[in-house]
Amino acid sequence: MERTGSSSAPARVVLIAVASVDGKITTADNAGPRFASANDKAFLRQMRGDADAVVIGAGTVANDNPAFWTPSSLKEKRRSAGRWATPLRAVVSGRGNIPPNARLFFGHESPAVVFCADIVDPERERALKEVAQVRRAGERSVNPRRVVEILRREYGAERILLEGGGQVNSAFLEAGCVDEVLLTVSPCLIGGQGLPTLVGGQGLPLEKLVPLKLASVRIAGDDLFLRYTIRMDDPAPSVEM
């Protein structure tokens, strides 16, 4: 199986998310993205099938405990191309606050990687090393640029899917590590002043907003699928109904 890249090209990082019309990525009862439609879930599986690595935060593991199930057809397609049957799963947690029994650590051919900072508790680090490969990527917090660099250099990841949540999305955007944003707008309203949105953190002032260029629009049922690029020289958007 391919584990190291043969090209020196940088990795491409794609932020993918589903949000309500009012921008929420979870509900008041912490149901996570379970409000997403079947169309969106199928799209997410497709994007995971194309990715070399998927990156999530510790909060997403705690709230959603994703298993990263992959259909057999996609597994066979990946194997035939000399790739792992499922993408590598990478979790970002400065202190290593991830349960070692999380589902993403089991049932995969590819490794799981935990990115932590130097402040990680030694006992937590030892426990995580039983189920994952642990990499230090910062002093007091995880440096997104180091995450992307390690995934590219050590694991050959050319296509990285960033699945959040909001805090991880914010860190990667502020570090300039995101190339593309795939946003599904789900036809619902959730409300809640304190509920997480697509991008968390402290927020940006007007002069530091992240500029996006609309690259494509697709409507499936009542879902709106938007693709944005960060780079400003992308082609004009296309619309599919």
Side-chain angles (χ1 to χ4, degrees), residues 8-31:
S8 59
R12 184 168 182 83
V13 180
V14 177
L15 190 163
I16 189 168
V18 58
S20 63
V21 172
D22 54 340
K24 306 301 182 181
I25 59 174
T26 189
T27 58
D29 54 351
N30 233 1

mmCIF file of all heavy atoms in Angstrom, residues 8-31:
data_model
loop_
_atom_site.group_PDB
_atom_site.id
_atom_site.type_symbol
_atom_site.label_atom_id
_atom_site.label_comp_id
_atom_site.label_asym_id
_atom_site.label_seq_id
_atom_site.Cartn_x
_atom_site.Cartn_y
_atom_site.Cartn_z
ATOM 1 N N SER A 8 6.560 16.052 -4.817
ATOM 2 C CA SER A 8 6.842 17.074 -3.809
ATOM 3 C C SER A 8 5.759 18.141 -3.776
ATOM 4 O O SER A 8 5.896 19.136 -3.071
ATOM 5 C CB SER A 8 8.200 17.727 -4.104
ATOM 6 O OG SER A 8 8.181 18.321 -5.401
ATOM 7 N N ALA A 9 4.695 17.946 -4.544
ATOM 8 C CA ALA A 9 3.607 18.921 -4.568
ATOM 9 C C ALA A 9 2.973 19.024 -3.190
ATOM 10 O O ALA A 9 2.862 18.036 -2.475
ATOM 11 C CB ALA A 9 2.560 18.514 -5.603
ATOM 12 N N PRO A 10 2.547 20.227 -2.797
ATOM 13 C CA PRO A 10 1.917 20.373 -1.478
ATOM 14 C C PRO A 10 0.560 19.687 -1.438
ATOM 15 O O PRO A 10 -0.081 19.468 -2.466
ATOM 16 C CB PRO A 10 1.766 21.891 -1.331
ATOM 17 C CG PRO A 10 1.729 22.407 -2.737
ATOM 18 C CD PRO A 10 2.626 21.507 -3.530
ATOM 19 N N ALA A 11 0.132 19.344 -0.225
ATOM 20 C CA ALA A 11 -1.187 18.734 -0.042
ATOM 21 C C ALA A 11 -2.273 19.773 -0.290
ATOM 22 O O ALA A 11 -2.080 20.970 -0.062
ATOM 23 C CB ALA A 11 -1.309 18.166 1.368
ATOM 24 N N ARG A 12 -3.419 19.306 -0.761
ATOM 25 C CA ARG A 12 -4.587 20.171 -0.933
ATOM 26 C C ARG A 12 -5.557 19.877 0.195
ATOM 27 O O ARG A 12 -5.958 18.731 0.397
ATOM 28 C CB ARG A 12 -5.253 19.938 -2.284
ATOM 29 C CG ARG A 12 -6.419 20.900 -2.550
ATOM 30 C CD ARG A 12 -6.879 20.864 -3.986
ATOM 31 N NE ARG A 12 -7.960 21.815 -4.250
ATOM 32 C CZ ARG A 12 -7.780 23.101 -4.508
ATOM 33 N NH1 ARG A 12 -6.547 23.592 -4.542
ATOM 34 N NH2 ARG A 12 -8.803 23.912 -4.739
ATOM 35 N N VAL A 13 -5.941 20.896 0.940
ATOM 36 C CA VAL A 13 -6.815 20.746 2.098
ATOM 37 C C VAL A 13 -8.196 21.270 1.746
ATOM 38 O O VAL A 13 -8.355 22.432 1.343
ATOM 39 C CB VAL A 13 -6.251 21.489 3.324
ATOM 40 C CG1 VAL A 13 -7.187 21.325 4.516
ATOM 41 C CG2 VAL A 13 -4.858 20.962 3.674
ATOM 42 N N VAL A 14 -9.203 20.413 1.907
ATOM 43 C CA VAL A 14 -10.583 20.766 1.595
ATOM 44 C C VAL A 14 -11.405 20.719 2.879
ATOM 45 O O VAL A 14 -11.492 19.675 3.530
ATOM 46 C CB VAL A 14 -11.187 19.801 0.553
ATOM 47 C CG1 VAL A 14 -12.644 20.140 0.286
ATOM 48 C CG2 VAL A 14 -10.378 19.839 -0.737
ATOM 49 N N LEU A 15 -11.970 21.834 3.255
ATOM 50 C CA LEU A 15 -12.854 21.900 4.419
ATOM 51 C C LEU A 15 -14.259 21.515 3.953
ATOM 52 O O LEU A 15 -14.783 22.115 3.028
ATOM 53 C CB LEU A 15 -12.835 23.313 5.003
ATOM 54 C CG LEU A 15 -13.508 23.572 6.351
ATOM 55 C CD1 LEU A 15 -13.030 24.901 6.926
ATOM 56 C CD2 LEU A 15 -15.027 23.582 6.258
ATOM 57 N N ILE A 16 -14.842 20.515 4.604
ATOM 58 C CA ILE A 16 -16.180 20.061 4.234
ATOM 59 C C ILE A 16 -17.093 20.113 5.449
ATOM 60 O O ILE A 16 -16.681 19.769 6.558
ATOM 61 C CB ILE A 16 -16.136 18.632 3.640
ATOM 62 C CG1 ILE A 16 -17.502 18.244 3.057
ATOM 63 C CG2 ILE A 16 -15.647 17.612 4.655
ATOM 64 C CD1 ILE A 16 -17.463 16.991 2.215
ATOM 65 N N ALA A 17 -18.325 20.576 5.249
ATOM 66 C CA ALA A 17 -19.252 20.703 6.376
ATOM 67 C C ALA A 17 -20.679 20.797 5.871
ATOM 68 O O ALA A 17 -20.924 21.170 4.719
ATOM 69 C CB ALA A 17 -18.919 21.941 7.215
ATOM 70 N N VAL A 18 -21.609 20.446 6.753
ATOM 71 C CA VAL A 18 -23.020 20.698 6.517
ATOM 72 C C VAL A 18 -23.495 21.640 7.612
ATOM 73 O O VAL A 18 -23.120 21.500 8.780
ATOM 74 C CB VAL A 18 -23.843 19.388 6.498
ATOM 75 C CG1 VAL A 18 -23.706 18.616 7.801
ATOM 76 C CG2 VAL A 18 -25.317 19.678 6.208
ATOM 77 N N ALA A 19 -24.273 22.625 7.239
ATOM 78 C CA ALA A 19 -24.771 23.601 8.209
ATOM 79 C C ALA A 19 -26.224 23.922 7.906
ATOM 80 O O ALA A 19 -26.688 23.788 6.770
ATOM 81 C CB ALA A 19 -23.932 24.886 8.164
ATOM 82 N N SER A 20 -26.934 24.332 8.932
ATOM 83 C CA SER A 20 -28.314 24.789 8.744
ATOM 84 C C SER A 20 -28.312 26.117 7.997
ATOM 85 O O SER A 20 -27.257 26.738 7.803
ATOM 86 C CB SER A 20 -28.988 24.952 10.106
ATOM 87 O OG SER A 20 -28.322 25.953 10.860
ATOM 88 N N VAL A 21 -29.473 26.584 7.597
ATOM 89 C CA VAL A 21 -29.573 27.863 6.894
ATOM 90 C C VAL A 21 -29.025 28.997 7.753
ATOM 91 O O VAL A 21 -28.460 29.963 7.241
ATOM 92 C CB VAL A 21 -31.036 28.134 6.477
ATOM 93 C CG1 VAL A 21 -31.201 29.543 5.932
ATOM 94 C CG2 VAL A 21 -31.482 27.109 5.444
ATOM 95 N N ASP A 22 -29.162 28.878 9.080
ATOM 96 C CA ASP A 22 -28.620 29.898 9.972
ATOM 97 C C ASP A 22 -27.212 29.565 10.445
ATOM 98 O O ASP A 22 -26.728 30.133 11.424
ATOM 99 C CB ASP A 22 -29.562 30.168 11.155
ATOM 100 C CG ASP A 22 -29.940 28.911 11.927
ATOM 101 O OD1 ASP A 22 -29.806 27.800 11.375
ATOM 102 O OD2 ASP A 22 -30.373 29.038 13.088
ATOM 103 N N GLY A 23 -26.531 28.646 9.770
ATOM 104 C CA GLY A 23 -25.101 28.453 9.978
ATOM 105 C C GLY A 23 -24.685 27.541 11.108
ATOM 106 O O GLY A 23 -23.491 27.463 11.439
ATOM 107 N N LYS A 24 -25.611 26.809 11.720
ATOM 108 C CA LYS A 24 -25.261 25.940 12.841
ATOM 109 C C LYS A 24 -24.825 24.565 12.336
ATOM 110 O O LYS A 24 -25.357 24.047 11.354
ATOM 111 C CB LYS A 24 -26.454 25.772 13.786
ATOM 112 C CG LYS A 24 -27.050 27.085 14.275
ATOM 113 C CD LYS A 24 -26.029 27.932 15.024
ATOM 114 C CE LYS A 24 -26.686 29.218 15.534
ATOM 115 N NZ LYS A 24 -25.720 30.083 16.252
ATOM 116 N N ILE A 25 -23.852 23.968 13.025
ATOM 117 C CA ILE A 25 -23.351 22.651 12.635
ATOM 118 C C ILE A 25 -23.753 21.552 13.619
ATOM 119 O O ILE A 25 -23.366 20.405 13.458
ATOM 120 C CB ILE A 25 -21.817 22.659 12.463
ATOM 121 C CG1 ILE A 25 -21.109 23.083 13.750
ATOM 122 C CG2 ILE A 25 -21.421 23.582 11.309
ATOM 123 C CD1 ILE A 25 -19.583 22.965 13.681
ATOM 124 N N THR A 26 -24.528 21.915 14.638
ATOM 125 C CA THR A 26 -25.077 20.936 15.555
ATOM 126 C C THR A 26 -26.372 21.494 16.128
ATOM 127 O O THR A 26 -26.736 22.638 15.861
ATOM 128 C CB THR A 26 -24.092 20.556 16.671
ATOM 129 O OG1 THR A 26 -24.608 19.440 17.422
ATOM 130 C CG2 THR A 26 -23.856 21.719 17.626
ATOM 131 N N THR A 27 -27.044 20.684 16.924
ATOM 132 C CA THR A 27 -28.342 21.070 17.472
ATOM 133 C C THR A 27 -28.242 21.328 18.976
ATOM 134 O O THR A 27 -27.203 21.094 19.590
ATOM 135 C CB THR A 27 -29.362 19.945 17.219
ATOM 136 O OG1 THR A 27 -28.865 18.737 17.823
ATOM 137 C CG2 THR A 27 -29.550 19.710 15.732
ATOM 138 N N ALA A 28 -29.329 21.769 19.569
ATOM 139 C CA ALA A 28 -29.330 22.081 21.000
ATOM 140 C C ALA A 28 -29.110 20.848 21.853
ATOM 141 O O ALA A 28 -28.644 20.947 22.989
ATOM 142 C CB ALA A 28 -30.647 22.755 21.384
ATOM 143 N N ASP A 29 -29.458 19.657 21.334
ATOM 144 C CA ASP A 29 -29.217 18.425 22.080
ATOM 145 C C ASP A 29 -27.961 17.714 21.611
ATOM 146 O O ASP A 29 -27.790 16.517 21.799
ATOM 147 C CB ASP A 29 -30.424 17.484 21.987
ATOM 148 C CG ASP A 29 -30.827 17.191 20.551
ATOM 149 O OD1 ASP A 29 -30.285 17.845 19.632
ATOM 150 O OD2 ASP A 29 -31.676 16.316 20.343
ATOM 151 N N ASN A 30 -27.034 18.458 20.981
ATOM 152 C CA ASN A 30 -25.713 17.949 20.602
ATOM 153 C C ASN A 30 -25.793 16.769 19.645
ATOM 154 O O ASN A 30 -25.019 15.828 19.732
ATOM 155 C CB ASN A 30 -24.912 17.543 21.841
ATOM 156 C CG ASN A 30 -23.543 18.191 21.880
ATOM 157 O OD1 ASN A 30 -23.202 18.965 20.985
ATOM 158 N ND2 ASN A 30 -22.778 17.896 22.898
ATOM 159 N N ALA A 31 -26.707 16.832 18.687
ATOM 160 C CA ALA A 31 -26.869 15.731 17.732
ATOM 161 C C ALA A 31 -25.860 15.781 16.602
ATOM 162 O O ALA A 31 -25.866 14.910 15.736
ATOM 163 C CB ALA A 31 -28.286 15.747 17.154
#
